[in-house]
Amino acid sequence: MALDKNQIAQRIAKEVQNGYYVNLGIGIPTLVANYVRDDIEVEFQSENGVLGMGPFPYDGEEDADIINAGKQTITTLPGASFFDSATSFSMIRGKHVDLTILGAMEVAENGDIANWKIPGKMVKGMGGAMDLVASAENIIVAMMHTNRAGASKLLKRCSLPLTGVGCVKKIVSNLAVLEVTPDGFKLLERAPGVSVEEIQAATEGTLIIDGDVLEMQL
């Protein structure tokens, strides 16, 4: 059974380690803060100028003045701080963020990512994703394995305009966990009830299968 968006976020939360400073991109990545273990200390950063984001607020407890980069209302943890965009991007460009979690429309087998523009669609610009992919040492992508038409989004080469080149380290999709290697996508885990054959059929890029593939634990 393929994972839903919350389950993708739940699996990615297992990658977050004690003491990490983490930037969460728009979309599925924003859900990760809801699933981080209680026994570790993590600081979530948003490029609009927040350090110390907490989970999403409960209905009726929202504060319209406290938002993330996707304009969603958020909570803040004790000790959180607010600052301007210049300071926020100094943190990002200065490589002070340990882990960046982004969404993507396409990822190539060499780690290229396309997540900002579909040709012919009006967009305001690439935004902070450009800085995040250029500066982060560890980038995990949260995405659906295929598009609505069933075509693979894990490709030999991206067809959409690139956000970054050779930067993605790991992908957690609704079907699998994959590592980007010099030889292609290495299959690490499969979603519960999803077969290796299903993942192969949904992956256009080179898929490396090394022995038995474990079922994902959420």
Side-chain angles (χ1 to χ4, degrees), residues 20-24 33-34 36 41-57 66-68 73-83 88 91 97:
Y20 265 17
Y21 288 85
V22 181
N23 181 282
L24 300 177
N34 295 337
V36 172
E41 295 280 338
V42 179
E43 296 286 349
F44 287 107
Q45 193 253 17
S46 183
E47 62 257 37
N48 60 315
V50 185
L51 186 66
M53 288 192 299
F56 283 120
I66 305 178
I67 60 172
N68 62 19
T73 53
I74 57 171
T75 63
T76 55
L77 301 176
S81 57
F82 302 92
F83 34 84
S88 179
M91 293 177 184
V97 176

Side-chain angles (χ1 to χ4, degrees), residues 11 175-177 187-194 196 199 209-217:
R11 174 59 187 83
L175 302 182
V177 179
L187 182 57
L188 302 180
E189 300 173 21
R190 54 187 176 82
V194 174
V196 171
I199 297 165
I209 302 165
D210 187 8
D212 292 334
V213 179
L214 297 176
E215 191 169 277
M216 205 182 298
Q217 300 295 314

Side-chain angles (χ1 to χ4, degrees), residues 28-215:
I28 298 173
T30 60
L31 301 170
V32 172
N34 295 337
Y35 297 104
V36 172
R37 287 171 21 216
D38 292 332
D39 62 337
I40 62 174
E41 295 280 338
V42 179
E43 296 286 349
F44 287 107
Q45 193 253 17
S46 183
E47 62 257 37
N48 60 315
V50 185
L51 186 66
M53 288 192 299
F56 283 120
Y58 293 110
D59 287 344
E61 297 181 6
E62 302 93 340
D63 184 337
D65 291 325
I66 305 178
I67 60 172
N68 62 19
K71 301 182 179 64
Q72 297 167 301
T73 53
I74 57 171
T75 63
T76 55
L77 301 176
S81 57
F82 302 92
F83 34 84
D84 61 19
S85 290
T87 302
S88 179
F89 279 93
S90 292
M91 293 177 184
I92 293 166
R93 294 169 183 167
K95 299 184 184 295
H96 302 295
V97 176
D98 299 296
L99 172 63
T100 294
I101 303 168
L102 295 170
M105 291 179 277
E106 294 178 346
V107 176
E109 62 184 39
N110 68 340
D112 293 352
I113 180 173
N115 79 340
W116 76 281
K117 181 180 174 73
I118 298 174
K121 299 282 187 179
M122 181 68 73
V123 294
K124 295 178 180 178
M126 191 179 290
M130 172 178 64
D131 300 270
L132 289 163
V133 299
S135 304
E137 297 292 338
N138 189 6
I139 297 174
I140 297 177
V141 168
M143 67 187 296
M144 295 296 162
H145 212 99
T146 58
N147 62 25
R148 291 177 183 175
S152 180
K153 295 166 67 173
L154 276 67
L155 310 173
K156 291 186 178 299
R157 294 184 64 183
C158 292
S159 63
L160 297 173
L162 295 182
T163 312
V165 176
C167 55
V168 175
K169 299 294 190 292
K170 188 174 285 186
I171 300 153
V172 180
S173 78
N174 57 322
L175 302 182
V177 179
L178 306 105
E179 180 184 0
V180 176
T181 75
D183 299 316
F185 299 114
K186 183 176 181 180
L187 182 57
L188 302 180
E189 300 173 21
R190 54 187 176 82
V194 174
S195 69
V196 171
E197 290 73 24
E198 287 177 272
I199 297 165
Q200 282 179 310
T203 308
E204 183 208 273
T206 303
L207 185 66
I208 302 165
I209 302 165
D210 187 8
D212 292 334
V213 179
L214 297 176
E215 191 169 277

